[in-house]
Amino acid sequence: MKVVLCGGGNAIHVLSAYVSSKDEIDEVCVLSLFPGEAERLRNAIPEKGIQCINDLGDDVFGKPSIVSDDPAEVIPGADVVIFALPSFTHEMYLKALKPHLKRGVTLGSMPGEGGFDLCAIHNLGGDFVKASNLFALETLPWACRIKEYGTSVEVLGTKKEIDIVVSPKDGSTVNEVLGLLQRLIGKEPILKPACNFLAVTLMNINSVWHPTISYGFFRNHDITKPFDEPPPFYEGADEYTGEMLAKVSDEVLEVKRVLLEKYPGLDLSSLTHVRDWMLRSYGDDIGDKTNIYTMLHSNKGYRGLSHPMSEVDTPEGKKYVPNFRYRYYTEDIPMGLVVTKGIAELAGVPTPNMDEVIVWCQEMIKKEYVVDGKLSGKDVDSSRAPQHYGFTDLDTFMKQNRYI
Ligand code: NAD
């Protein structure tokens, strides 16, 4: 079996070590389209391979056979292709891979934020995707950091359980694909099948959490004035932010209600309110379960995390300004909340609270998605909203993407 890993950062270091060390895999290749990265990585990997030091107590070494920047060199014959990349690069990779991919390939992304399937169908073609196993993990299985480039990487934390969505080809099953991926990443995290791509796209917790909490905090601050310290992310949220999170999530659930009314056979059971998601995910780590605001402030798992900031030198010394190039904005808006907004628009559901968050964030990242409550801004085509892929009515969107 031949596996191609796409990317070149922290996660690709971990995957290179894990997958290359498996006996059932004949060949592991790495493909990086980031200029100069493939050569740099190829030259940095020692003979014994990349060492992955992990929190489960079993260090792993593995060496990919080829590290290339040329899809024609590594993609032909690939049985499995895994993306571990920021989502804004997915389209570029899919376009580059398309001429070389074999029918029936198993292809997916970790993480595969909102609309990964839309992006794959648009770029590879519906028939090709139907004949492939497409998968997406809700997040990366590990918190990981390169220790020494090309040589060693550390898994700081292996998640316990994460959702995976699989759309199997004819003759294959979700369990088959899931079993293969589970063997590649190891015993943990346990991959738990989610209902379908639509449910996963709408249940994108990052797309609700990160933009709304950022808006809630910075709306009261002069962002041109540097901060002495990076402000706390979850513990810095005020009551207004807690209510806003609830309202944005209410709007997502209204989309669910309308979809289920129209398509009663649709399974969106894994799509829940963010309040319930938090209780399920953190349980007893939360001290005060009164409302979202109190939960954000009393969740042990959220302690000590701060807003993404950049350091700046000022006459009074080192200070911090918000980093709007961070994935909380550059991924969780165009591949997150904007995708949900697009589906809401097709379903005819008004989303004034979601719009308020998007409008503030788009201004910070100098983009334009929502104008006067409509997804008609000039940058919709750089998002993964259904409208970017030409969908203008709900039935066509639901049928062509095989949600019904
Ligand atoms: P990383 O930042 O280490 O690597 C990103 C890779 O993406 C780069 O090595 C490069 O190959 C590619 N890339 C970045 N910008 C590019 C561009 N403009 N053009 C072409 N290629 C480009 O990321 P990572 O830590 O390996 O994580 C992979 C994904 O998982 C990211 O989306 C990240 O946000 C997410 N994630 C990471 C962690 C973690 O602990 N590392 C945790 C959760 C989620």
Side-chain angles (χ1 to χ4, degrees):
M1 184 180 298
K2 176 175 177 180
V3 179
V4 179
L5 309 170
C6 296
N10 302 298
I12 290 298
H13 278 63
V14 176
L15 280 167
S16 293
Y18 279 14
V19 180
S20 306
S21 69
K22 303 280 176 232
D23 289 339
E24 73 172 294
I25 308 301
D26 302 306
E27 189 180 5
V28 178
C29 302
V30 172
L31 175 71
S32 169
L33 301 179
F34 194 64
E37 188 173 61
E39 192 184 353
R40 206 158 65 90
L41 184 57
R42 188 168 53 238
N43 293 336
I45 303 179
E47 202 39 54
K48 60 182 179 186
I50 298 175
Q51 179 186 19
C52 178
I53 302 154
N54 70 31
D55 60 329
L56 304 173
D58 53 345
D59 291 3
V60 179
F61 281 87
K63 187 170 192 222
S65 49
I66 304 177
V67 180
S68 175
D69 58 3
D70 181 5
E73 187 184 8
V74 290
I75 296 295
D79 302 292
V80 181
V81 176
I82 302 175
F83 289 4
L85 291 158
S87 43
F88 67 85
T89 66
H90 290 169
E91 186 147 314
M92 175 181 76
Y93 270 85
L94 289 167
K95 280 191 165 78
L97 263 50
K98 185 179 177 188
H100 312 286
L101 281 172
K102 73 173 179 193
R103 262 178 108 75
V105 67
T106 295
L107 181 147
S109 184
M110 50 175 77
E113 276 199 290
F116 180 73
D117 58 330
L118 302 181
C119 186
I121 291 169
H122 180 74
N123 287 286
L124 301 178
D127 286 346
F128 185 92
V129 169
K130 201 165 164 219
S132 314
N133 291 316
L134 195 71
F135 71 88
L137 270 63
E138 62 162 327
T139 180
L140 207 61
W142 324 277
C144 50
R145 295 289 174 270
I146 293 170
K147 274 173 78 85
E148 191 180 343
Y149 189 75
T151 301
S152 63
V153 61
E154 183 169 8
V155 170
L156 306 162
T158 300
K159 301 203 170 80
K160 295 278 167 281
E161 185 179 285
I162 58 176
D163 280 355
I164 175 170
V165 56
V166 179
S167 170
K169 62 189 173 194
D170 288 343
S172 185
T173 63
V174 169
N175 281 341
E176 238 172 79
V177 179
L178 201 145
L180 167 65
L181 293 166
Q182 189 76 69
R183 292 197 298 282
L184 294 185
I185 64 161
K187 283 200 300 282
E188 284 186 351
I190 294 165
L191 299 177
K192 210 174 124 254
C195 355
N196 51 54
F197 271 102
L198 182 61
V200 168
T201 292
L202 291 170
M203 185 69 245
N204 180 348
I205 192 72
N206 289 345
S207 74
V208 176
W209 252 198
H210 297 151
T212 310
I213 292 176
S214 304
Y215 165 58
F217 183 79
F218 288 118
R219 80 187 199 287
N220 281 333
H221 288 85
D222 174 2
I223 55 160
T224 60
K225 209 167 147 252
F227 290 74
D228 293 338
E229 297 290 337
F233 192 74
Y234 296 102
E235 294 154 296
D238 59 7
E239 291 191 29
Y240 169 90
T241 305
E243 281 162 26
M244 196 64 176
L245 285 164
K247 287 184 201 163
V248 171
S249 190
D250 287 342
E251 290 172 352
V252 181
L253 288 195
E254 178 58 10
V255 176
K256 173 178 176 177
R257 191 194 65 72
V258 169
L259 291 177
L260 290 179
E261 194 173 79
K262 206 156 185 277
Y263 310 106
L266 187 65
D267 183 2
L268 293 179
S269 51
S270 57
L271 172 55
T272 60
H273 198 277
V274 291
R275 191 187 306 111
D276 300 321
W277 175 88
M278 197 160 164
L279 287 168
R280 182 164 56 89
S281 304
Y282 290 96
D284 290 340
D285 280 353
I286 302 172
D288 182 347
K289 298 175 179 163
T290 310
N291 56 41
I292 294 180
Y293 163 75
T294 63
M295 290 201 270
L296 291 176
H297 280 259
S298 63
N299 182 351
K300 279 191 217 154
Y302 284 166
R303 261 179 219 157
L305 298 169
S306 52
H307 281 269
M309 307 294 277
S310 305
E311 279 182 13
V312 285
D313 287 322
T314 72
E316 299 99 62
K318 197 167 281 171
K319 299 224 172 188
Y320 301 87
V321 292
N323 176 3
F324 293 119
R325 290 189 313 277
Y326 199 66
R327 66 184 156 92
Y328 288 9
Y329 306 93
T330 52
E331 296 199 38
D332 294 332
I333 289 293
M335 280 64 177
L337 213 48
V338 165
V339 186
T340 303
K341 165 73 186 168
I343 299 170
E345 204 162 287
L346 292 179
V349 174
T351 55
N353 297 291
M354 207 179 287
D355 295 355
E356 193 174 323
V357 175
I358 295 173
V359 165
W360 180 84
C361 290
Q362 68 185 16
E363 217 170 287
M364 297 304 122
I365 59 176
K366 301 186 173 36
K367 296 277 181 190
E368 185 189 71
Y369 306 106
V370 170
V371 179
D372 296 333
K374 290 268 164 283
L375 204 54
S376 58
K378 64 177 172 54
D379 293 307
V380 171
D381 280 346
S382 62
S383 78
R384 286 214 293 232
Q387 288 74 2
H388 162 50
Y389 303 114
F391 294 107
T392 51
D393 78 280
L394 187 61
D395 272 342
T396 312
F397 171 71
M398 296 296 285
K399 283 184 193 140
Q400 276 195 14
N401 295 301
R402 299 193 291 149
Y403 296 142
I404 49 169

